[in-house]
Amino acid sequence: MIENELKEYLKNLGASLVGFADLKNIDAPSRQNMAYGIAFAIKIKPSIIAGINGGPTEDYYDAYNEINKKLDYINLSCVKYIKNQGYNAIGQNSTYVTSNDNLSTHLPHKTVATRAGLGWIGKNALLITPEYGSAIRISSILTDMPLITNNPINESKCGDCNKCVEACPAVAIKGMLWNVNIAREELINPFKCRIKARELLNEKIGIKSAICGKCIEACPVTQLYIKNNIEQTKF
């Protein structure tokens, strides 16, 4: 099956998670007239995530940027792979913004990821996966290659948990439960998040970049990933 071959190809390149999405219910311009999406993620080492309990660190900053480079490499490689199969494919870079007015994109990676069943959107407006919580970086590819797709996830699984809300140094997270019809701005104020993240990283390591991670580290699903990894290394 082409899906198994594609998943194996992406995992051999370094992807930790891979899923396939049916995008036909999304407006055609946003998906660039492609009917399918491929979402993939790379996990961040648990020790690095545990280290940002007190705020962003140099290790986290380095990992963030290094993983983005790996995602872009995987993205370009997969686009070539698909085109060699005779189909069209459009890669979306690991980080991109199409509107500075609201820091949004036409089709976010996390939208493709929820359509591909990789996880749900947390109260922090980030993808949460059962395997790694939010301790991941994600990317996506749009294609017309016919794929057997995963079941989409349409609702939050965060329940009454407010750990990310309480941990946010910017007080940017509003505490709303996500569903497929909710706008990002109902979950979080992206400008407050960006301003505080830049302030924190500059304060911690002298670099002016919008990278924080506190809501990622505080998430109980991320904490379970950290705990399980630490326990496994004891044996």
Side-chain angles (χ1 to χ4, degrees), residues 68-69 71-72 75 92-96 109 137-139:
N68 280 351
K69 291 178 184 176
L71 287 169
D72 288 344
N75 203 304
Q92 303 197 109
N93 291 338
S94 55
T95 54
Y96 73 110
H109 302 307
R137 297 293 299 156
I138 59 176
S139 191

Side-chain angles (χ1 to χ4, degrees), residues 40-234:
F40 54 96
I42 295 178
K43 64 185 177 182
I44 305 171
K45 289 181 180 179
S47 58
I48 290 175
I49 296 298
I52 60 176
N53 178 268
T57 64
E58 190 168 354
D59 284 344
Y60 180 58
Y61 174 80
D62 289 343
Y64 184 102
N65 288 297
E66 184 61 31
I67 290 174
N68 280 351
K69 291 178 184 176
K70 290 180 180 178
L71 287 169
D72 288 344
Y73 169 74
I74 294 172
N75 203 304
L76 287 170
S77 300
C78 188
V79 166
K80 290 179 182 177
Y81 179 92
I82 292 171
K83 288 184 175 179
N84 285 338
Q85 305 295 316
Y87 298 98
N88 294 315
I90 300 170
Q92 303 197 109
N93 291 338
S94 55
T95 54
Y96 73 110
V97 173
T98 53
S99 173
N100 287 320
D101 292 335
N102 59 5
L103 305 180
S104 67
T105 64
H106 293 312
L107 183 58
H109 302 307
K110 56 192 173 185
T111 299
V112 181
T114 60
R115 301 305 85 212
L118 292 188
W120 65 96
I121 304 302
K123 293 179 181 179
N124 58 2
L126 297 177
L127 183 73
I128 298 178
T129 66
E131 298 87 350
Y132 309 112
S134 288
I136 52 171
R137 297 293 299 156
I138 59 176
S139 191
S140 59
I141 293 167
L142 311 177
T143 183
D144 60 5
M145 173 185 277
L147 295 167
I148 297 174
T149 58
N150 305 104
N151 292 326
I153 296 177
N154 296 321
E155 294 183 347
S156 172
K157 298 184 181 181
C158 293
D160 295 330
C161 178
N162 283 303
K163 293 292 185 182
C164 65
V165 180
E166 296 162 1
C168 178
V171 195
I173 303 172
K174 300 178 181 180
M176 293 283 292
L177 282 172
W178 168 82
N179 66 62
V180 72
N181 296 312
I182 199 169
R184 182 194 57 178
E185 286 69 26
E186 295 180 66
L187 300 173
I188 190 171
N189 183 320
F191 293 99
K192 290 177 70 173
C193 174
R194 183 173 68 166
I195 291 168
K196 188 63 177 180
R198 282 179 172 168
E199 176 187 311
L200 282 175
L201 195 67
N202 187 43
E203 176 186 303
K204 294 287 183 180
I205 64 173
I207 295 175
K208 294 181 180 179
S209 184
I211 298 174
C212 172
K214 276 295 297 170
C215 65
I216 294 173
E217 184 273 336
C219 175
V221 189
T222 304
Q223 284 294 317
L224 184 60
Y225 162 55
I226 295 170
K227 177 177 180 291
N228 288 343
N229 182 272
I230 291 173
E231 288 183 349
Q232 288 171 11
T233 60
K234 293 178 181 178

